[in-house]
Amino acid sequence: MAASIWERRTKRGEQVYQFNFAPVFNALDMLLVGVWFTIQMSVAAMSLGLVVSLVGAAIKTSGPRPLRLCVDIYVELIRNTPFLVQIFFIFFGLPALGIRLSPNTTALLALTINFGAYGTEIIRAGIKSISKGQIEAAQAIGLSWLQVLQYVVIKPALRAVYPALTSQFIFLMLGSSVVSAISATDLTAAANDLNSLTFASFEVYLVTTVIYLALSILFSTIFAGIGRLCFAYPVNR
Amino acid sequence: MNALSSANMPSKPGSAPKVQAPPAVRLVGIEKWYGAFQALKSVDLTVHSGERIVICGPSGSGKSTLIRCINQLESIESGTIEVNGTKLSSSPARVRENRREIGMVFQQFNLFPHMTILQNCVLGPIKVRGLDRTEAEKIARHYLDRVRIPEQADKYPAQLSGGQQQRVAIARALCLQPQIMLFDEPTSALDPEMVSEVLDTMIDLASDGMTMICVTHEMGFARKVADRVIFMDHGEIIEENDPVGFFDAPRHARTQSFLGQIA
Ligand SMILES: Nc1ncnc2c1ncn2[C@@H]1O[C@H](COP(=O)(O)OP(=O)(O)OP(=O)(O)O)[C@@H](O)[C@H]1O
Ligand SMILES: [Mg+2]
């Protein structure tokens, strides 16, 4: 069986690789399990990361100084260190403090923390783009600080940075392949498993690449739809 | 109980204010600094309930700063401000309470772009006054009717002309049923042909007995509506008088030259 995959023909002394996708497609369910996990993990990390980003951006914009400093440190720490090291730190480092997390939990946590840092900066830029007049008009009505953010600032702010936010979401989904390094059960990990079973590296990773591409297009399409639904109001100029 | 009947005293524009305690607004010795720059210098001003005040003066004289102190969009370094007899406090809850009683209309309209006209109008009543949506919409439609744009309720601000947007901004402020209205150059950002529709709305409001403090250079409006005109320069009140006296016999040289410039 393995021979058929590794069948080589010698033609004028060259070795020619014989493509054979059959074993990959036969084991497609293995990949699909990974796909499903990658989707679930990405959506969960996006949602949680968005919450972290909103809170972080709100604090950075108008929170008390000590909290603002904490958020600054968090954002700079995450944005200036490799994602893989962040994962390793959580997975291999934290057990020294008695915090032991499963690979999948670690993956979700690391992705959330990582996205939260970038998202905080993106949303902060969005909030900054809201004119002082908007905020003053909201205050003049008698809204509290939190109400001003919630009802007047957030939506136009998100609209202003929605393209940046969605590409960060796509980055997160693609970047989630890194979690295979700690044997989380994502698509890339599934591909690695399949590769070591079949040795059809080219076929396995080609199919995996196509699946990631399809996922990107799928997410982009969904985000575009969400954007059209949520930010449908017309604006001047 | 009736949310639509505001506590107004009917009086005609130009008639003398009915003096009654406490005054709607009382400013005593207001000093305002932006860093090393003094924007308000010991300003005293008392505005009685139902009175219509027009504030004018050259750019940078502190007109906006002054009225923004009344609804606490600006803090002051010294002096006291009383609104309806209550001394203002800087605690967030008290600030919100104060703002609830004061409507403000800005030069740039500042409607919320992501909300329809109706949503703009009900936000305050629902979130600040705690009304339910039906009640809030009833009030909103009443005031949209008053500013003569009931048919635009479901449009977004960007779909309205400047004059219409400013009238919505007036309606939005009125929806909180404030006792005092502040206007900061409400017609300055408008195309000339839209100025009168906004001024007409303000005149209509004045004839209802609303206490109004208007920063404006619309002298026709001032003559018609104001009980008193106040002239500011360099952070000080230089002169105040009834409109006839103010325009026809200005006492101060600076007032005279200012009126000469805008005439
Ligand atoms: N946030 C601020 N920081 C520093 N200086 C300020 C600030 N706001 C206003 N000023 C200054 O305070 C002075 C008074 O400003 P204010 O806006 O009250 O003037 P104004 O009479 O309303 O003028 P305009 O007719 O141009 O609106 C101006 O010299 C202005 O430069
Ligand atoms: Mg001004």
Side-chain angles (χ1 to χ4, degrees):
Chain A
M1 195 182 100
S4 71
I5 300 161
W6 282 102
E7 191 181 345
R8 287 163 192 181
R9 290 178 188 165
T10 307
K11 241 186 213 170
R12 293 182 219 122
E14 288 172 9
Q15 291 201 323
V16 177
Y17 188 89
Q18 177 76 16
F19 297 123
N20 187 350
F21 285 92
V24 179
F25 290 124
N26 288 341
L28 204 58
D29 52 338
M30 246 177 96
L31 288 183
L32 289 182
V33 170
V35 169
W36 180 229
F37 180 78
T38 289
I39 291 176
Q40 283 177 305
M41 177 177 63
S42 300
V43 170
M46 282 170 199
S47 315
L48 295 174
L50 187 62
V51 173
V52 173
S53 308
L54 285 169
V55 173
I59 290 173
K60 266 200 94 160
T61 327
S62 39
R65 188 174 284 272
L67 269 181
R68 234 156 48 197
L69 191 70
C70 294
V71 173
D72 278 342
I73 292 171
Y74 157 62
V75 168
E76 292 311 319
L77 190 70
I78 297 302
R79 295 204 309 170
N80 293 291
T81 52
F83 182 44
L84 186 59
V85 175
Q86 293 164 15
I87 296 176
F88 283 167
F89 182 80
I90 296 172
F91 192 63
F92 298 117
L94 289 188
L97 306 177
I99 303 170
R100 221 167 286 275
L101 300 173
S102 73
N104 288 352
T105 310
T106 303
L108 178 61
L109 185 65
L111 284 168
T112 301
I113 291 174
N114 190 269
F115 180 85
Y118 289 93
T120 294
E121 277 305 300
I122 292 172
I123 294 175
R124 189 189 63 89
I127 293 177
K128 264 185 74 179
S129 77
I130 304 304
S131 76
K132 212 168 136 244
Q134 286 284 309
I135 294 164
E136 288 177 347
Q139 289 174 323
I141 288 176
L143 297 179
S144 67
W145 172 80
L146 210 58
Q147 287 176 322
V148 173
L149 268 183
Q150 189 182 350
Y151 301 118
V152 175
V153 173
I154 284 298
K155 197 167 176 180
L158 285 180
R159 174 177 167 140
V161 296
Y162 193 64
L165 207 54
T166 55
S167 60
Q168 193 65 41
F169 279 141
I170 302 289
F171 275 137
L172 179 153
M173 192 272 295
L174 297 178
S176 75
S177 71
V178 172
V179 305
S180 62
I182 53 166
S183 313
T185 55
D186 75 312
L187 170 57
T188 303
N192 294 343
D193 290 347
L194 188 59
N195 182 44
S196 51
L197 275 180
T198 61
F199 302 105
S201 305
F202 184 90
E203 292 86 342
V204 166
Y205 290 113
L206 183 68
V207 170
T208 306
T209 302
V210 171
I211 295 176
Y212 271 115
L213 182 64
L215 283 179
S216 287
I217 294 169
L218 176 73
F219 274 100
S220 294
T221 311
I222 292 172
F223 289 139
I226 292 174
R228 268 196 302 277
L229 266 181
C230 293
F231 306 120
Y233 60 91
V235 283
N236 288 326
R237 269 158 280 137
Chain B
M1 229 14 261
N2 183 0
L4 296 184
S5 73
S6 34
N8 291 328
M9 335 172 305
S11 65
K12 280 185 188 131
S15 68
K18 289 170 187 157
V19 180
Q20 53 178 54
V25 179
R26 206 160 83 93
L27 306 172
V28 183
I30 304 302
E31 313 257 338
K32 169 71 189 175
W33 295 79
Y34 291 112
F37 175 81
Q38 188 167 14
L40 294 177
K41 297 170 189 162
S42 186
V43 172
D44 298 319
L45 176 66
T46 301
V47 180
H48 295 287
S49 178
E51 210 179 359
R52 276 87 50 164
I53 306 287
V54 162
I55 303 176
C56 59
S59 181
S61 56
K63 309 177 297 289
S64 299
T65 306
L66 180 66
I67 66 166
R68 288 159 57 88
C69 287
I70 299 171
N71 71 347
Q72 295 175 285
L73 287 179
E74 303 289 351
S75 59
I76 54 173
E77 270 65 47
S78 87
T80 55
I81 304 177
E82 286 173 19
V83 173
N84 295 321
T86 312
K87 193 166 173 290
L88 297 189
S89 137
S90 61
S91 87
R94 294 279 302 279
V95 169
R96 272 178 270 141
E97 243 169 70
N98 179 44
R99 287 174 178 161
R100 223 164 56 180
E101 301 304 326
I102 302 173
M104 183 155 192
V105 177
F106 299 82
Q107 184 174 347
Q108 298 298 337
F109 330 138
N110 292 333
L111 295 180
F112 307 132
H114 57 298
M115 298 182 187
T116 64
I117 299 312
L118 191 65
Q119 287 167 341
N120 264 275
C121 290
V122 298
L123 181 67
I126 292 175
K127 301 302 173 191
V128 176
R129 287 247 186 236
L131 299 184
D132 64 44
R133 183 162 293 276
T134 344
E135 183 76 351
E137 287 189 1
K138 203 172 115 197
I139 294 172
R141 290 192 192 279
H142 168 79
Y143 285 111
L144 287 174
D145 218 32
R146 268 203 66 178
V147 301
R148 296 187 304 281
I149 27 182
E151 72 285 357
Q152 314 282 9
D154 296 318
K155 288 195 180 165
Y156 284 92
Q159 295 167 321
L160 268 55
S161 73
Q164 290 174 321
Q165 287 190 55
Q166 193 60 299
R167 283 185 283 147
V168 171
I170 294 172
R172 179 176 71 179
L174 291 174
C175 281
L176 279 161
Q177 299 173 303
Q179 307 191 2
I180 300 161
M181 284 286 288
L182 307 176
F183 293 85
D184 192 356
E185 305 204 32
T187 57
S188 300
L190 294 175
D191 294 335
E193 72 271 19
M194 293 172 187
V195 168
S196 66
E197 64 187 71
V198 170
L199 289 180
D200 286 346
T201 308
M202 291 169 66
I203 292 167
D204 181 46
L205 197 59
S207 66
D208 242 35
M210 174 65 81
T211 308
M212 294 166 68
I213 304 176
C214 314
V215 175
T216 181
H217 292 155
E218 293 294 336
M219 292 310 150
F221 171 80
R223 273 185 191 275
K224 195 163 181 179
V225 166
D227 297 306
R228 259 191 296 159
V229 182
I230 287 170
F231 176 71
M232 288 185 73
D233 197 11
H234 293 109
E236 292 175 293
I237 293 181
I238 302 292
E239 178 162 354
E240 60 176 275
N241 207 341
D242 60 69
V244 176
F246 182 84
F247 291 113
D248 298 343
R251 290 186 291 261
H252 285 263
R254 276 191 268 177
T255 318
Q256 289 161 6
S257 80
F258 174 74
L259 288 175
Q261 278 163 23
I262 62 166

